[in-house]
Amino acid sequence: MAFTSLTFIIFAAITVAVYALLPQKAKHIFLIAASLVFYFWWKAWAPVFIIAYALFNYFMALAIAKSEGSKKRILLFTAIGASIILFFIFRYHILDGILSAIVNPNGIDISILFPLGFSYYMFKSVSYLIDVNNKTFEKVNKFDYFLLYVVYFPEVSMGPITRAVDFVPQISKEKSITAQSINKGLVLVAWGFFKKIIFADRLASLIAPYYSDINTAGNGSAWFLIAAGFLLQLYLDFSAYTDISVGVSKMLGYEIKHNFKAPFFSYSIPEFWRKWHISLTSWLLDYVFTPLQFLLRSLGKFASIIPAIITFTLIGVWHGGTSAYLMFGFLMGLLVAVDALIAKSRKKLKKKMPKALFNTVSLILLTIINIIVFLFMRVPDAQTGLNIIVRHMFDFGSWTAASTLTLEFYIVMALSLIMTIISHILELKTDEFTERFIKLKQPLLWIVYLAVIFAVILFGHYGPGYDPIEFIYMGF
Amino acid sequence: MTRDNVLDKVQDILRDIFDDENIVVTNNTTADDIEDWDSLEHINVITSIEKHFKIKFAMNDVTGFKNVGNMVDTIFNKIS
């Protein structure tokens, strides 16, 4: 059930209402049940899988906490290895051929489905195991608590990848669900719907035809704008999802960290990645990049360059098994590595140049890099991406040719850019904004909510057959 | 060498790495307080400290650092 579907609105409304009325002791049990229903909605077998996966990690963590020395290490590697193997079986379909041959040699091909959200709750579970191993977080002694952490419905399909250390201690805390806390969450949910249905989905359908036949858009600036359109769509889509996730959590009395903190207001690639899909990048920073960098620290500059390329290539691989994702990750890693190499000269230049000029140039350069590299997140394979860049986008002779893009495209792009800027400003001051919002008088609050509902109904963009268009990151 | 000496020396090392004589560190200083102290520079801080105090950190030491105070404690324990 997509967050922007009517089914989800009804499901979330009932869940929050019942949850608010239940006594404290029953709240988390009910939340587990609701989350399992949410996961069941995707596929009937899914709850069985996620409970089994949670059980495995729960007991592995208990065993790791009890052991010492090499036994402890073996247990940790076994537990993490199991997750990685599962990930590769699901994502790269490595067992499909063998299974098809064994189960029905003459029949239809078997394809093992990627369990919804597995890449997100796998990371949650793995970081928990490592934290228990490193004694930076005490093992969870109640299976119901750990299960809720894994299956928690506002996060299960697309993150954020909240750490156990931030989530589990909140479970036992007294939750008072008041009109104020509901409003704080609801305004974020409304904001997410607004961004997703009116802007992200409209942008999506406007740019889709160009990507399905890359020769229709014309060359030069047109492709640059289409690629920029995808970057805006990706941000508006995923940040809207996170707004809804954080908003629903607030209504349930949970505080989870947002995935975005004004990423396009950055002056370097590493800074951008500290503000973009924060829960994923901070996870990889803590559990992949930093340990690798530490192990390689005698290699001088390579101590940062090698881990940067590995980490970003992993980001690519994590998104999917295509050459385009691999290219996306590898290019980003390479750019971060270059950034590390020129960091000192850049710092010197920064001191010599007027601050405003330096920042403006950096911001423009970063935006151009992002528009080009993120293109690989949209195309089916690396070859298509390279074709668009080399043959079309960099065909500078055509930059001044009459545009093949429609007026609607320009209007939607301009409005989406304005939305992105507003969204960035709000991300920097979310708490201040929600605090002010809930202090508005009750009738005024309702006017805002009704305005959003009408805007979404009137100006929203709906998929074929009124199916809500799924969020991009649901596929990862 | 006292613990305070270690803190002073760490301050010198940070001033040197970040090329800023105005950096003042306390036990509560974190990487967020120093503008250029990001994940890429962090390893330079670690290796410079290892080199200067002639010590070797373990992975667990480094992941456990919450602030400069933690780091100074670990260095002080290793040299005394």
Side-chain angles (χ1 to χ4, degrees), chain A residues 215-231:
Chain A
N215 297 311
T216 55
N219 285 352
S221 52
W223 260 111
F224 196 77
L225 283 174
I226 295 162
F230 173 66
L231 188 59

Side-chain angles (χ1 to χ4, degrees), chain A residues 228-334:
Chain A
F230 173 66
L231 188 59
L232 289 181
Q233 183 212 335
L234 190 63
Y235 166 75
L236 290 169
D237 188 277
F238 197 22
S239 72
Y241 162 83
T242 319
D243 290 333
I244 299 171
S245 175
V246 173
V248 172
S249 293
K250 274 190 196 294
M251 290 196 254
L252 298 167
Y254 284 84
E255 288 296 329
I256 60 172
K257 287 180 196 150
H258 204 284
N259 263 332
F260 295 91
K261 202 161 181 81
F264 295 136
F265 294 171
S266 301
Y267 306 110
S268 72
I269 303 171
E271 187 189 352
F272 170 81
W273 281 99
R274 280 195 289 277
K275 299 172 177 175
W276 175 275
H277 201 174
I278 298 168
S279 67
L280 175 70
T281 46
S282 74
W283 195 99
L284 287 162
L285 183 72
D286 289 351
Y287 299 103
V288 179
F289 180 84
T290 309
L292 268 177
Q293 192 192 33
F294 183 75
L295 290 174
L296 301 174
R297 67 192 185 285
S298 58
L299 299 179
K301 278 191 171 160
F302 288 98
S304 291
I305 292 171
I306 297 170
I309 293 174
I310 292 176
T311 305
F312 278 93
T313 306
L314 276 179
I315 290 184
V317 173
W318 178 88
H319 279 93
T322 69
S323 57
Y325 290 125
L326 194 68
M327 184 65 122
F328 168 78
F330 180 71
L331 276 179
M332 269 298 174
L334 215 55

Side-chain angles (χ1 to χ4, degrees), chain A residues 385-449:
Chain A
L386 288 172
N387 258 341
I388 291 175
I389 294 168
V390 178
R391 286 213 202 134
H392 299 289
M393 202 185 273
F394 285 0
D395 177 8
F396 292 111
S398 311
W399 269 64
T400 48
S403 176
T404 47
L405 301 170
T406 59
L407 181 65
E408 190 193 2
F409 180 91
Y410 286 109
I411 293 172
V412 174
M413 273 291 281
L415 291 175
S416 299
L417 182 64
I418 294 169
M419 277 305 285
T420 301
I421 293 169
I422 296 173
S423 181
H424 272 49
I425 294 166
L426 291 177
E427 269 161 23
L428 294 171
K429 297 185 176 217
T430 308
D431 288 339
E432 216 173 285
F433 165 72
T434 47
E435 285 296 336
R436 272 198 195 178
F437 179 79
I438 58 165
K439 287 200 183 102
L440 294 177
K441 292 222 162 61
Q442 201 59 247
L444 214 55
L445 287 178
W446 280 105
I447 290 173
V448 174
Y449 291 139

Side-chain angles (χ1 to χ4, degrees), chain B residues 29-40:
Chain B
T29 303
T30 67
D32 292 338
D33 300 323
I34 296 174
E35 198 194 337
D36 293 325
W37 192 344
D38 59 16
S39 45
L40 294 169

